[in-house]
Amino acid sequence: MLCKFERSIFQSANGYCIFAYSTKDESVPASARSTQYHRDKKIHITAVGYNLPATDAIDVDLQGTWQSSKYGMQLMVDSFEQILPQDTNGIVAYLSSGFIKGIGPGTAKAIVARFGSSTLDVMEHDPEQLLAVKGIAKAKLKKIVSSYSETRKLRELTAYLAPYGVSMKKIAKIQETFEDSSLSIVQRDPFQLCRIRGFGFLTVDAIARKTKVSLRNPLRYAGAIHYCLEDARSNGHLFLPYDELIQRCYELLNRECDGEVVPMYDVTSAVTQEAKAKKIYNENGRIYLSFERLCEVKAAKRIVSMLLSEDMPMVSDLPKQISITESSLPHPLAPSQREAVMLCLSHPCTIMTGGPGVGKTTTLKAILEIYHRVFPDHEILLAAPTGKASRRMSEQTGFPASTLHSALGILSDDDIELATPEFLSADFVVVDECSMVDMRLAFALFERLKPGVKLLFVGDPDQLPAVGAGNVLREMIRSGIVPTAILDTVFRQASNSRIALNAYAVNHNDTKLQYGDDFVMQDVQTSEDAANLVMKCFFDEVSKHGIENVQILSPFRRRGAVCADNLNVAIREMVNPKRKGTNELKCGSKGFREGDRIIQTRNVEGVSNGDVGVITRIYMDDDGEQLIDIKLLDGRELTYTSDKMENVDLSYCISIHKSQGAEFPVVIIPILKEHYIMLRRNLLYTAISRAKSKVILIGQRQAVFTAIHKNDVDKRNTVLADRITVYYERETQKRAV
């Protein structure tokens, strides 16, 4: 059925979309036709599918079946074909649509002015002729030809993969890996897709089942093994016990099996083969992805070597140095703080922990001041996992700080496995918010520390663990080997803050919270009432403190009326509604417009996870590339292409997990019994401790009590502590001989 795109109704990040199309095809059932009045008198329908064309510059032949839904009759698209235009106006529109890189509106008009209706034939068979068009040099021609060729091949591949929900990004990866053989490989040997990094086993398996290839394929077995281990890693585990991995793989390979069954023997054999090929590692029944074990082993050995190092320069007459430093502080150091300073300056590798209001910042400032005074020529490096945490660290200590990724020269999280380590020049490295440091990032840090360096971790083990796998801070403390200073007394200057007192109470299973101007509880019974009250409080606080000083923190990103995604859209429509002359951008299921407040969700080159800012401009350049200008709160100005926006979210509301490492003057926290799965002590504690001046809880007191009492912190599969202990005992025994 020949159709023309009209508008997007819904788009998700994985390419699933619901679009409105128009057609002249009279075979459309009456029940599927839009009942709204349209001046063009065409038939208007709703189509559902994956990666459907979203431009009216071309016609699209949609093939599928009509199905009834709660939204009415819709066309469920199985495949589609893009029909390239034949008239000159249509060709100009197609070339200007952004499909072909290197061609903007001006270039498109110039090309069609020269070649007319033969333009697409020239581009297909004799693109060298385009060099005759003003403004097209050889470099630009190469870009155009490459993009046009890829577009044609991608049309065929996209049409075949549409029913499986494969995103355009992954389709492009297939094309890049297998080139001209892409479609043939996908149709005849889909398990080859398992070779592509990040290509999901479930998607590959779905394609294979449809194409009826044998399911007893070694590549399929390997894919299932790696899928199970990667799934475990995404849930914080560095390994799976052997029996658990075998059972998970067996169930995965035989799910929804209506014929060929994979025997258990094949699964155990496949695990053995993957271990022989050194793609996974079986260590006494603990099955690791090889790189995850490498990270754990090398980090443990480096910690031990640092602890036993005799190269670190020592501060002489430390008690005197502490006294000198105290004279410049507003208050004398408490005994616990003095002990922490002594400990941290007396060992090569140490930890300082404690909750809000216990004096971590003052103690760290004292440590840094003493070290800098005694060793003025030594380089000090302050780092944290997020941009916000590093900037706060610099503001509080007076020393420059950076993100860990930036300090280590890692552009993104994916680069850790591929990076070539070079020693950091720093003599003293301090890592703040280290509860957020996962095993991979810790490994990258330890690999880059030069001999004789001093290392101090500062953090709160009672906060949420790292998003990535491992539990580095807790494991180092659990080992009992790494010297640890614990600050656990809320000081007089913080004792007037109900935030600090209540954070302490939550962490000690005490439900008798103190309420007042700086710590408020507003009771509601339904999620809808909670959402309305959250928005009301948000606007009330913004009117007093400014929008950059108020942050909503939700337990969920995507579930319920008070999840981050839903609140973001609702608030955005109030603070930044669609206006004439304001440009917008659609990126999967997310929509952005000029003036939106946003947050970076992943470390990429030059930008850190957690950086926030505002979209200042959305526009198209001369080559047809959609660009987005962003101004970060720290003053930096960036320009993104549309594909980079997949790592950006609206930020009026963020998840509690995403708030780690940040502080906000005012924090609003919806907390309801329907959040039960997320109601844990460390989640509530983390949310409360993000606030500097005011906390507003909105929801049900019973939900607050549940969170405080529920301390079943998920145990992560990691043995870093055990390795540190074993390696330390082994090394000390060697040295004793």
Side-chain angles (χ1 to χ4, degrees), residues 497-540:
S497 165
R498 295 181 183 88
I499 297 171
L501 293 173
N502 287 337
Y504 182 87
V506 167
N507 211 24
H508 289 79
N509 196 29
D510 184 357
T511 59
K512 295 177 182 177
L513 304 183
Q514 299 182 29
Y515 298 101
D517 293 342
D518 61 346
F519 201 98
V520 179
M521 176 78 203
Q522 299 207 28
D523 297 279
V524 295
Q525 294 306 313
T526 69
S527 58
E528 288 74 20
D529 289 342
N532 291 330
L533 188 52
V534 164
M535 287 191 286
K536 180 181 182 303
C537 287
F538 178 79
F539 291 114
D540 287 346

Side-chain angles (χ1 to χ4, degrees), residues 224-225 228 244-254 267:
I225 292 166
C228 289
E244 183 179 344
L245 174 63
I246 295 296
Q247 187 61 35
R248 283 195 189 191
C249 289
Y250 178 78
E251 292 174 1
L252 180 64
L253 291 165
N254 288 301
V267 180

Side-chain angles (χ1 to χ4, degrees), residues 30-66:
S31 57
R33 303 184 184 197
S34 170
T35 57
Q36 294 182 2
Y37 173 74
H38 295 274
R39 290 184 178 180
D40 59 15
K41 296 183 180 180
K42 292 180 181 178
I43 299 167
H44 296 263
I45 65 166
T46 301
V48 178
Y50 287 89
N51 302 306
L52 301 180
T55 174
D56 59 4
I58 57 173
D59 289 326
V60 187
D61 185 7
L62 301 179
Q63 299 298 322
T65 56
W66 296 103

Side-chain angles (χ1 to χ4, degrees), residues 88-89 91-96 102-120 122-123 127 129-137 140 144 622-623:
T88 54
N89 288 336
I91 295 171
V92 169
Y94 171 67
L95 295 181
S96 306
I103 300 182
T107 305
K109 289 178 182 177
I111 293 172
V112 175
R114 185 171 187 89
F115 300 109
S117 58
S118 302
T119 295
L120 297 181
V122 169
M123 294 184 68
Q129 288 193 54
L130 296 180
L131 290 171
V133 177
K134 186 178 180 180
I136 299 181
K140 191 169 187 176
I144 292 170
D622 292 339
D623 289 337

Side-chain angles (χ1 to χ4, degrees), residues 205 209 215 220 251-260:
D205 209 40
R209 288 169 184 267
L215 300 183
R220 181 173 185 251
E251 292 174 1
L252 180 64
L253 291 165
N254 288 301
R255 65 190 177 91
E256 301 176 7
C257 187
D258 55 0
E260 195 173 16

Side-chain angles (χ1 to χ4, degrees), residues 619-638:
Y619 58 101
M620 193 90 75
D621 71 2
D622 292 339
D623 289 337
E625 186 95 49
Q626 195 154 33
L627 301 177
I628 303 92
D629 287 346
I630 295 172
K631 185 171 184 178
L632 299 179
L633 289 188
D634 62 11
R636 285 179 293 159
E637 296 183 358
L638 311 170

Side-chain angles (χ1 to χ4, degrees), residues 530-596:
N532 291 330
L533 188 52
V534 164
M535 287 191 286
K536 180 181 182 303
C537 287
F538 178 79
F539 291 114
D540 287 346
E541 296 300 322
V542 165
S543 68
K544 300 173 190 173
H545 306 287
I547 196 167
E548 69 279 1
N549 294 317
V550 183
Q551 186 63 61
I552 305 169
L553 304 180
S554 175
F556 281 109
R557 184 182 170 191
R558 291 195 177 96
R559 185 185 301 178
V562 292
C563 74
D565 284 358
N566 287 340
L567 285 174
N568 268 324
V569 172
I571 292 172
R572 192 268 300 273
E573 292 308 316
M574 298 178 74
V575 301
N576 187 30
K578 186 174 182 178
R579 295 183 294 271
K580 187 175 182 181
T582 299
N583 293 324
E584 297 190 350
L585 168 74
K586 196 73 177 175
C587 180
S589 62
K590 298 182 288 190
F592 299 99
R593 62 177 63 126
E594 292 168 344
D596 279 345

Side-chain angles (χ1 to χ4, degrees), residues 141 517 650 678 713:
L141 175 66
D517 293 342
L650 296 174
M678 295 295 289
V713 179

